[in-house]
Amino acid sequence: MVNSVSSLIDNAVRATAPVVDGITDEQRGAPTPCSEYDVRALLNHLFHVVTNFQKQAVGERADLASVGEYLDAGDWRSRFREEGERLAEAWRAPGSAEGISPGMGLPQRTLAYMVLGDLLVHGWDLARATGQAYTPDAATVEEVAPELEKIAPMGRNAGVYAEAVPVPSGATPFERMLGDTGRDVSWSPR
């Protein structure tokens, strides 16, 4: 990795947190480009990933299967940013991106790219669903996109990614990443 995992996560959280901040309570039932989730379900999924990958960073087993309700208690918008900061801090630990995950049996480095992919792609999903702008950090996309392209077939086999969607000629690296993960870059809620 050219950049440290924690700095990439910091960048991804900085791009996604303002989108989370901008989601109104009324928008939580809106559809998203991630067809199996409305905004509320996608926020819960993203919270779940962010909190569980904190455990993954330090070699603990995480429960990624049962997603809880993260939006019912307190200020969930601020809490998302706080959990994102905890995620970056967990991946800042020496050796966090080395070795094999005891829970998933994958290289820790792969897990880092998985959580980065979730932050970037779902940040875009939420922005599209709620009519907000989303601009991920270009250096983060440059580093993460080729890695997601490599793991996309595994994601499709696991049912995590939809089939790849073609992107227009001249698409940006981020748009190509969205297409690799099954997103139609022209998606809109209407």
Side-chain angles (χ1 to χ4, degrees), residues 80-154:
F80 177 80
R81 190 179 303 271
E82 292 164 6
E83 292 297 346
E85 290 168 1
R86 286 186 188 102
L87 178 67
E89 184 62 32
W91 284 92
R92 196 170 286 119
S96 62
E98 298 169 6
I100 302 295
S101 161
M104 295 182 75
L106 295 170
Q108 284 289 106
R109 181 176 181 264
T110 299
L111 295 183
Y113 286 117
M114 288 169 64
V115 73
L116 279 159
D118 266 30
L119 282 164
L120 294 168
V121 172
H122 293 322
W124 179 85
D125 289 334
L126 290 168
R128 275 297 168 111
T130 59
Q132 298 182 65
Y134 184 72
T135 307
D137 174 70
T140 302
V141 170
E142 183 179 329
E143 186 143 344
V144 174
E147 296 303 319
L148 283 187
E149 184 179 354
K150 289 178 195 172
I151 64 174
M154 177 182 67

Side-chain angles (χ1 to χ4, degrees), residues 169-190:
S169 173
T172 67
F174 184 61
E175 290 170 332
R176 287 193 300 275
M177 184 170 81
L178 292 170
D180 284 342
T181 61
R183 281 11 181 228
D184 177 353
V185 298
S186 64
W187 187 93
S188 72
R190 291 178 179 75

Side-chain angles (χ1 to χ4, degrees), residues 19-147:
V19 173
V20 172
D21 290 343
I23 296 171
T24 67
D25 290 340
E26 295 75 27
Q27 291 174 316
R28 292 191 289 179
T32 72
C34 195
S35 62
E36 64 272 15
Y37 294 120
D38 63 10
V39 168
R40 180 186 195 96
L42 188 54
L43 282 165
N44 277 312
H45 167 76
L46 193 54
F47 262 103
H48 191 69
V49 167
V50 166
T51 57
N52 275 280
F53 274 75
Q54 293 170 26
K55 295 174 187 174
Q56 297 279 13
V58 295
E60 294 177 13
R61 292 184 184 270
D63 175 15
L64 294 170
S66 58
V67 176
E69 178 59 54
Y70 293 86
L71 309 184
D72 284 346
D75 180 6
W76 53 269
R77 292 168 186 90
S78 295
R79 200 168 67 252
F80 177 80
R81 190 179 303 271
E82 292 164 6
E83 292 297 346
E85 290 168 1
R86 286 186 188 102
L87 178 67
E89 184 62 32
W91 284 92
R92 196 170 286 119
S96 62
E98 298 169 6
I100 302 295
S101 161
M104 295 182 75
L106 295 170
Q108 284 289 106
R109 181 176 181 264
T110 299
L111 295 183
Y113 286 117
M114 288 169 64
V115 73
L116 279 159
D118 266 30
L119 282 164
L120 294 168
V121 172
H122 293 322
W124 179 85
D125 289 334
L126 290 168
R128 275 297 168 111
T130 59
Q132 298 182 65
Y134 184 72
T135 307
D137 174 70
T140 302
V141 170
E142 183 179 329
E143 186 143 344
V144 174
E147 296 303 319

